[in-house]
């Protein structure tokens, strides 16, 4: 499927069938309107790349291609006027005497020309012309396939690059949603660090006073309190560090390395980050959340940033579904006299051979026609600009890559947005 290799193979075989002092293939370039000769052979040596303009009516290759006709010359000096007005000195190599140019066409597409030339007069017979016609037919197909493959390969590379950019954009979008939640989460341990640091300073001043008094018992008591506070400072410092690391893990490219991961801690972390992030983003957001984690859950070898991304996306979607139903319920609340309380529940449990993560919401549920498409790339029910349609598609791919399964159970609200929401809603189930 490489053009130069095709030309080299053709040259070797044509040279065995006939005297081919010069052999070349000119390929049509639609953009430049030229015939490009990537590998022309003269006496076994490859000539440098060169081109011929199709507007040059004194080039045999241009005439052959433009008029889609065969050119056969046995004596250049006597026969050239049958095809061109004057002889043009070759850009590379010597001037041949016997020349054959044949058009290359495959599947109705003009690809270029093929030429065999000799420095001898009347070097080629009708038999040679017949053989070269057959070779031209096969080589045209080979070149057509090679060009199609190159085009396909380039398109595939472009699609893969676009896919990477879209995935990165999806990651950055979810990271943006996380920012407010991270700011809220990191503020708590920082407050603890600051408060305990101030308390320790006061206690150390008190310790100095008691030491001056010689009250050893009180000094030891204060010292123990300082040690306890220092341990709390250390704990909350590590907590802040873990939040920052989690943020960096979410934003950076996955290295594909699995590590033992506490599923309960991961779900709890992303649930709170999602909740606080949405609260900071939308002041009217008033959903609640619950957790029910199986304490007997073992650690699983997985890529935590990838699974975290999946959990975060599903939780964000759950809160979004509740918020949308809540807004509808406000309009209907007066009619039914009932209050809708949006709630998201995240739970885990250990099964026989796997671990299950469930994200439940009491939103409007998913219509059957939509449920069939939710894992398709670029499918979204959110308004323009609010969703890429890649979140659940990526989630599906990530879980599959971990050898797991992701499925959805849903009950549609059937147009009763004001009800309690106990029977309606959606549950996403991740099985690892």
């Amino acid at each position: 499927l490489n053009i130069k290799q095709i030309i080299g193979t053709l040259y070797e075989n044509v040279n065995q069938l006939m005297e081919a002092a010069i052999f070349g293939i000119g390929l049509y370039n639609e953009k430049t309107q030229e015939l490009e000769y990537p590998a022309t052979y003269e006496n076994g040596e490859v000539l440098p790349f060169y081109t011929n303009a199709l507007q040059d009516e004194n080039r045999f290759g241009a005439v052959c291609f433009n008029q889609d006709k065969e050119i056969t010359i046995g004596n250049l000096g006597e026969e050239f006027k049958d095809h061109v007005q004057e002889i043009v000195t070759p850009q590379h190599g010597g001037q041949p005497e016997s020349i054959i140019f044949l058009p290359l066409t495959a599947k109705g597409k003009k690809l270029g020309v093929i030429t065999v030339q000799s420095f001898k007069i009347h070097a080629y017979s009708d038999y040679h012309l017949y053989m070269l016609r057959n070779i031209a037919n096969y080589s045209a197909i080979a070149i057509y396939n090679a060009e199609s493959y190159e085009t396909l390969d380039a398109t595939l590379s472009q699609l893969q690059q676009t896919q990477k950019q879209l995935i990165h954009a999806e990651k950055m979008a979810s990271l943006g949603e996380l920012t407010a939640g991270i700011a809220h989460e990191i503020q708590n341990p920082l407050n603890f660090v600051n408060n305990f640091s101030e308390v320790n300073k006061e206690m150390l001043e008190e310790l100095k006073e008691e030491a001056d008094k010689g009250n050893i018992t009180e000094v030891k008591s204060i010292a123990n309190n300082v040690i306890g506070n220092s341990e709390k400072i250390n704990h909350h410092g590590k907590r802040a560090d873990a939040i920052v690391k989690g943020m960096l893990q979410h934003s950076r490219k996955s290295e594909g390395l699995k590590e033992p991961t506490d599923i309960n801690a991961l779900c709890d972390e992303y649930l709170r980050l999602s909740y606080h992030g949405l609260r900071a983003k939308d002041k009217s957001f008033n959903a609640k959340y619950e957790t029910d984690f199986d304490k007997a859950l073992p650690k699983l070898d997985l890529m935590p940033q990838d699974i975290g991304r999946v959990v975060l996306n599903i939780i964000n979607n759950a809160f979004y579904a509740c918020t949308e139903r809540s807004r509808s319920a406000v309009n209907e609340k007066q009619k039914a006299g009932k209050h809708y309380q949006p709630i998201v529940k995240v739970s885990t449990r250990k099964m026989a051979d796997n671990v299950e993560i469930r994200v439940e919401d009491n939103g409007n549920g998913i219509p059957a026609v939509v449920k069939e498409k939710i894992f398709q790339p670029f499918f979204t029910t959110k308004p323009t600009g609010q969703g890429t349609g890649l979140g659940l598609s990526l989630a599906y791919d990530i879980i599959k890559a971990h050898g797991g399964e992701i499925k959805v159970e849903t009950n549609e609200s059937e147009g009763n947005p004001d009800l309690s929401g106990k029977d309606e809603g959606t549950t996403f189930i991740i099985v690892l």
Side-chain angles (χ1 to χ4, degrees):
L1 294 173
N2 180 285
I3 295 291
K4 287 187 177 181
Q5 290 182 3
I6 290 173
I7 295 173
T9 302
L10 286 169
Y11 168 70
E12 291 176 2
N13 287 276
V14 168
N15 204 30
Q16 292 177 7
L17 297 172
M18 64 184 76
E19 196 268 315
I22 299 174
F23 175 84
I25 288 181
L27 299 175
Y28 172 51
N29 187 320
E30 187 174 2
K31 291 182 179 180
T32 62
Q33 289 297 300
E34 293 177 328
L35 288 177
E36 297 179 345
Y37 292 83
T40 300
Y41 289 80
E42 181 172 329
N43 295 324
E45 299 293 328
V46 182
L47 300 178
F49 174 92
Y50 66 95
T51 62
N52 285 163
L54 290 176
Q55 293 81 6
D56 190 345
E57 297 180 352
N58 288 319
R59 297 285 182 181
F60 293 117
V63 174
C64 173
F65 182 86
N66 291 332
Q67 298 181 17
D68 195 27
K69 74 169 187 178
E70 297 180 351
I71 293 178
T72 57
I73 296 175
N75 186 325
L76 182 64
E78 296 179 358
E79 302 175 29
F80 76 90
K81 290 186 178 179
D82 294 339
H83 308 285
V84 297
Q85 293 181 355
E86 60 183 55
I87 298 174
V88 179
T89 304
Q91 291 174 255
H92 303 284
Q95 186 68 266
E97 292 292 343
S98 295
I99 299 173
I100 298 177
F101 268 92
L102 301 181
L104 290 177
T105 305
K107 299 185 179 181
K109 181 180 179 181
K110 295 172 68 175
L111 302 175
V113 297
I114 184 172
T115 181
V116 173
Q117 304 172 20
S118 172
F119 295 111
K120 300 175 183 177
I121 295 176
H122 300 300
Y124 305 123
S125 64
D126 289 342
Y127 171 73
H128 294 131
L129 179 60
Y130 174 77
M131 279 197 300
L132 196 60
R133 284 173 182 160
N134 288 326
I135 291 171
N137 289 334
Y138 285 109
S139 58
I141 294 171
I143 291 168
Y144 179 88
N145 289 341
E147 288 184 345
S148 299
Y149 177 81
E150 286 180 356
T151 302
L152 180 63
D153 192 48
T155 303
L156 179 60
S157 297
Q158 187 176 1
L159 284 173
Q160 289 173 336
Q161 185 62 31
T162 303
Q163 181 188 39
K164 289 179 182 178
Q165 292 172 353
L166 286 170
I167 291 172
H168 182 71
E170 172 68 20
K171 287 166 60 177
M172 290 300 101
S174 61
L175 181 61
E177 294 176 0
L178 273 178
T179 303
I182 290 167
H184 178 279
E185 283 292 292
I186 209 168
Q187 192 61 50
N188 287 334
L190 287 178
N191 286 338
F192 277 113
V193 169
N194 292 334
N195 292 338
F196 282 123
S197 297
E198 291 177 5
V199 171
N200 272 3
K201 181 181 178 182
E202 295 173 1
M203 294 182 74
L204 288 171
E205 292 291 342
E206 185 181 344
L207 184 143
K208 286 169 65 179
E209 293 175 5
E210 295 297 332
D212 290 340
K213 295 177 183 179
N215 192 346
I216 301 301
T217 302
E218 189 64 24
V219 167
K220 288 183 178 180
S221 176
I222 295 173
N224 287 333
N225 288 335
V226 171
I227 292 171
N229 288 347
S230 296
E231 289 175 349
K232 291 175 182 177
I233 290 173
N234 182 263
H235 168 76
H236 290 290
K238 288 181 177 178
R239 167 76 184 135
D241 181 62
I243 292 171
V244 173
K245 285 182 177 177
M247 177 180 66
L248 293 175
Q249 277 189 331
H250 183 84
S251 62
R252 74 178 180 228
K253 181 181 178 181
S254 171
E255 297 175 354
L257 299 177
K258 293 183 178 181
E259 57 186 78
T261 303
D262 185 335
I263 295 294
N264 289 340
L266 182 143
C267 290
D268 187 56
E269 177 91 7
Y270 281 97
L271 172 61
R272 283 184 289 104
L273 289 175
S274 173
Y275 176 78
H276 292 301
L278 291 171
R279 281 194 66 183
K281 185 179 178 182
D282 182 2
K283 300 302 180 184
S284 65
F285 177 78
N286 68 343
K288 293 184 177 181
Y289 66 81
E290 294 179 357
T291 59
D292 181 14
F293 297 141
D294 187 344
K295 294 181 180 179
L297 226 60
K299 287 189 175 183
L300 298 184
D301 282 332
L302 46 80
M303 290 175 270
Q305 62 267 43
D306 284 351
I307 298 298
R309 198 168 294 130
V310 171
V311 172
L312 174 70
N313 180 269
I314 293 175
I315 292 173
N316 280 345
N317 287 346
F319 278 129
Y320 178 85
C322 290
T323 301
E324 289 299 298
R325 185 171 187 183
S326 180
R327 287 170 180 162
S328 300
V330 169
N331 300 326
E332 299 292 331
K333 186 168 63 175
Q334 299 298 328
K335 298 179 183 178
K338 294 183 180 181
H339 178 65
Y340 167 67
Q341 176 58 61
I343 188 167
V344 170
K345 181 179 179 181
V346 179
S347 60
T348 61
R349 60 175 173 169
K350 183 178 183 298
M351 312 294 284
D353 300 318
N354 50 52
V355 167
E356 187 177 272
I357 304 170
R358 300 174 74 92
V359 179
E360 306 174 47
D361 69 67
N362 63 344
N364 284 322
I366 304 174
V369 66
V370 173
K371 181 182 175 183
E372 297 176 358
K373 303 176 182 177
I374 58 174
F375 294 113
Q376 294 178 8
F378 308 111
F379 178 81
T380 180
T381 58
K382 295 179 181 178
T384 302
Q386 292 189 28
T388 62
L390 285 173
L392 287 177
S393 172
L394 291 175
Y396 183 87
D397 291 342
I398 289 170
I399 297 303
K400 283 293 183 183
H402 279 78
E405 180 184 8
I406 182 170
K407 48 191 177 181
V408 60
E409 298 173 354
T410 185
N411 290 313
E412 205 173 350
S413 64
E414 298 181 357
N416 298 314
D418 58 298
L419 300 181
S420 63
K422 291 182 180 179
D423 299 325
E424 295 83 20
T426 302
T427 300
F428 276 86
I429 304 164
I430 300 170
V431 181
L432 296 169

